[in-house]
């Protein structure tokens, strides 16, 4: 029984260490109508939803944050987010992007090993052929 208790404590400790290793960042940008939102990501779970406000809101969670490169930029054409794992040290982590965008902007993704959830959208969606190499 004591061995089971020690195993349970070790499992809880590993779970707590994992939660501490998640780095969370929040971003907020105002956009003009017709702008573009661009996301380049790898090994990510992405949730995209829309709203009627003129802003892009992003919550980014990086597992083992020290192993990631995260770049954000805004210019007159739109907002850009790039999340890439660093070679070697980044190979253990995944990321999560919770993105809310205005319902009238262009959306562009460049994804590698990602899962995308389109949350409560009312739209038409046309995808080009999904080639493995772009």
């Amino acid at each position: 029984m004591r061995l089971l208790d020690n195993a349970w404590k070790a499992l809880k400790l590993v779970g707590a260490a994992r939660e501490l290793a998640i780095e969370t960042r929040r971003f907020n940008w105002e956009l003009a109508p017709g702008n573009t939102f661009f996301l380049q990501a790898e090994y990510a779970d992405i949730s995209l939803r829309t709203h009627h406000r003129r802003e892009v809101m992003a919550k980014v969670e990086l597992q083992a944050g020290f192993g990631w490169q995260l770049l954000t930029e805004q210019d007159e054409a739109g907002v850009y987010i790039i999340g890439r794992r660093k070679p070697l040290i980044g190979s253990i982590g995944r990321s999560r992007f919770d993105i809310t965008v205005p319902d009238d902007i262009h959306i562009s993704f460049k994804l590698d090993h990602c899962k995308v959830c389109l949350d409560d959208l009312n739209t038409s969606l046309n995808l080009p052929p999904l080639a493995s190499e772009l």
Side-chain angles (χ1 to χ4, degrees), residues 47-61:
S47 176
L48 179 74
R49 65 188 56 82
T50 61
H51 61 184
H52 298 296
R53 295 188 301 248
R54 300 282 0 125
E55 63 183 343
V56 171
M57 298 182 303
K59 176 183 168 190
V60 181
E61 294 178 351

Side-chain angles (χ1 to χ4, degrees), residues 14-39:
V14 167
R18 180 190 171 280
E19 292 300 317
L20 287 175
I22 294 177
E23 181 179 329
T24 302
R25 299 185 194 176
R26 296 179 189 277
F27 301 95
N28 198 12
W29 300 273
E30 291 189 26
L31 282 183
N35 276 167
T36 296
F37 172 75
F38 173 78
L39 174 63

Side-chain angles (χ1 to χ4, degrees), residues 25-102:
R25 299 185 194 176
R26 296 179 189 277
F27 301 95
N28 198 12
W29 300 273
E30 291 189 26
L31 282 183
N35 276 167
T36 296
F37 172 75
F38 173 78
L39 174 63
Q40 179 179 342
E42 58 184 38
Y43 298 94
D45 299 328
I46 301 160
S47 176
L48 179 74
R49 65 188 56 82
T50 61
H51 61 184
H52 298 296
R53 295 188 301 248
R54 300 282 0 125
E55 63 183 343
V56 171
M57 298 182 303
K59 176 183 168 190
V60 181
E61 294 178 351
L62 305 171
Q63 186 179 32
F66 56 86
W68 286 88
Q69 294 175 318
L70 182 66
L71 305 167
T72 64
E73 185 68 41
Q74 181 178 18
D75 63 18
E76 62 278 346
V79 170
Y80 313 90
I81 300 176
I82 299 173
R84 292 187 292 216
R85 297 192 312 182
K86 293 179 181 174
L88 299 178
I89 61 172
S91 65
I92 60 171
R94 280 192 70 81
S95 60
R96 177 167 181 79
F97 292 82
D98 291 314
I99 309 291
T100 305
V101 297

